[in-house]
Amino acid sequence: MATGNGQLPFEKPLVELREKIKELQKFTQEKSIDLSDEIATLEEKARRLEKEIYGNLSTWQKVQIARHASRPTALDYIRHIFTDFMELHGDRLYGDDPAIVGGIAKLDGRPVTVIGHERGKDTKDKIARNFGLPHPEGYRKALRLMQQADKFGRPIICFVDTQGAHPGVEAEERGQSEAIARNLREMAGFRVPIICIVTGEGGSGGALAISVGNRLLMLEHAYYSVISPEGAAAILWRDAAKAQEAAEALKITAQDLKELGVIDQIIPEPKGGAHRDPAFQAQQIKEAIRDALEPLCEMDGDQLVSDRHKKFEKIGVYHTVE
């Protein structure tokens, strides 16, 4: 959990050291005393500490970064990466779900359809968007936009960042499970390129419902999992406090999933996470999308569907017993 100033618990020593450097710099200016040697020593210590902290993050620390309140959202990335974005609303059945945003945009002049989970920024916005937990109408809206993209030959770009689908009674009454299952089936058969990027949390079926793609990319400190660490701990040990232990066992980091063949590419983040430099992070994502999209656009519809199926067929390892 981040503190009020956005500081994560494991970052405290580094933050305190940087504050001390600022105090010395201010003292130097106010008192006209040369403390440059002391400041240089502390700055070198800060660089070493930064490298040590962010170069050896545990799975749980990465989960904390993925959940950071200031982490860029889908709309942040859409504004930085695409031009001429026109948001479309509604599932033509029940209503509009602000937890999923989507519409038509241009990537380097190429028309694309963009869809993503949207958590919101401030408290009011987060509540309005249900903290990025979609209802079934959100997934049906996403499906409507993807069907439109398939009809007109537009590549589909999905930004994945949710703890999971909304678990409330009203969501189940309106067909949450069916909406997710239908998306999985339909996405498997679309005849246009689909690129999915896990930018923060990739939780359960709520994430999978817009991440059946030809290429699955992940930010360096994102996670992608069948269940949250807290949920797994509650089931396995009946104790959500063992979330850190569960996180390690689940193998949910980008590095774990790349090794297992679940994802195709890890997109690097600035030291400390995407929220430290959203513009840089957006540029990294844009370059990764370009690189992934170019070869896919050379395939025809049959090849794209076959490529997508083969991707998921290769996931997983099993051994036969004689």
Side-chain angles (χ1 to χ4, degrees):
M1 182 71 70
T3 60
N5 60 5
Q7 169 193 318
L8 295 170
F10 62 87
E11 295 176 311
K12 186 177 179 180
L14 181 58
V15 172
E16 290 177 346
L17 186 54
R18 285 173 173 164
E19 287 298 322
K20 190 175 296 184
I21 292 170
K22 287 180 181 179
E23 289 176 8
L24 287 180
Q25 289 171 335
K26 183 179 178 181
F27 187 80
T28 298
Q29 292 174 353
E30 292 177 349
K31 304 298 183 182
S32 299
I33 300 175
D34 184 11
L35 297 174
S36 56
D37 289 343
E38 290 82 353
I39 292 172
T41 299
L42 291 179
E43 286 176 338
E44 177 58 31
K45 184 178 179 180
R47 281 191 290 270
R48 290 199 303 269
L49 185 58
E50 181 182 62
K51 186 176 180 180
E52 179 183 339
I53 290 175
Y54 297 123
N56 299 281
L57 292 169
S58 68
T59 299
W60 183 244
Q61 287 169 339
K62 291 188 176 187
V63 170
Q64 290 177 292
I65 293 176
R67 293 174 173 174
H68 198 285
S70 299
R71 196 168 177 86
T73 67
L75 283 175
D76 291 323
Y77 291 128
I78 289 170
R79 292 180 187 122
H80 277 97
I81 295 171
F82 305 94
T83 58
D84 303 308
F85 176 63
M86 180 173 65
E87 186 175 355
L88 302 175
H89 299 272
D91 67 345
R92 302 298 185 266
L93 180 67
Y94 180 83
D96 186 52
D97 184 357
I100 284 189
V101 297
I104 304 167
K106 288 184 178 178
L107 175 67
D108 298 330
R110 182 199 300 272
V112 296
T113 288
V114 187
I115 298 165
H117 297 101
E118 178 57 38
R119 294 169 171 266
K121 304 299 287 185
D122 56 28
T123 302
K124 183 178 179 181
D125 192 26
K126 289 178 185 291
I127 292 172
R129 296 184 184 278
N130 199 33
F131 298 88
L133 307 178
H135 287 76
E137 52 269 24
Y139 293 116
R140 292 184 178 119
K141 173 171 68 173
L143 179 59
R144 181 175 74 84
L145 299 183
M146 288 188 281
Q147 288 170 334
Q148 183 192 77
D150 189 54
K151 178 179 179 179
F152 292 103
R154 290 192 298 267
I156 299 168
I157 314 295
C158 296
F159 292 96
V160 180
D161 184 14
T162 183
Q163 293 180 24
H166 182 68
V169 173
E170 70 277 16
E172 296 299 333
E173 289 175 341
R174 297 201 293 272
Q176 186 73 287
S177 300
E178 186 275 342
I180 292 173
R182 184 179 293 271
N183 277 26
L184 303 184
R185 185 188 71 184
E186 295 298 317
M187 289 186 78
F190 287 139
R191 297 168 62 81
V192 294
I194 304 176
I195 297 174
C196 308
I197 308 102
V198 183
T199 60
E201 296 185 86
S204 192
L208 190 60
I210 63 167
S211 60
V212 179
N214 296 90
R215 299 293 179 267
L216 180 58
L217 319 179
M218 275 185 75
L219 266 60
E220 183 181 357
H221 302 318
Y223 79 86
Y224 190 50
S225 175
V226 68
I227 191 172
S228 70
E230 293 87 348
I235 292 171
L236 294 174
W237 298 293
R238 298 185 183 278
D239 184 2
K242 291 190 175 183
Q244 296 186 43
E245 187 176 344
E248 295 290 344
L250 285 167
K251 302 296 181 184
I252 59 179
T253 68
Q255 294 73 22
D256 291 328
L257 297 171
K258 181 69 168 66
E259 186 176 339
L260 292 169
V262 175
I263 69 168
D264 300 290
Q265 181 181 342
I266 299 172
I267 302 174
E269 295 190 32
K271 279 189 172 64
H275 58 284
R276 299 292 186 191
D277 193 343
F280 169 83
Q281 189 63 73
Q283 184 60 35
Q284 294 293 108
I285 294 173
K286 186 174 184 177
E287 290 175 6
I289 293 174
R290 283 172 177 158
D291 292 343
L293 190 58
E294 186 175 350
L296 294 175
C297 287
E298 295 177 0
M299 299 182 186
D300 62 28
D302 290 338
Q303 290 172 322
L304 287 166
V305 172
S306 176
D307 174 84
R308 205 172 302 133
H309 289 181
K310 287 178 181 177
K311 170 182 171 52
F312 284 89
E313 288 170 0
K314 289 189 298 183
I315 294 175
V317 177
Y318 64 92
H319 300 280
T320 57
V321 179
E322 298 294 338

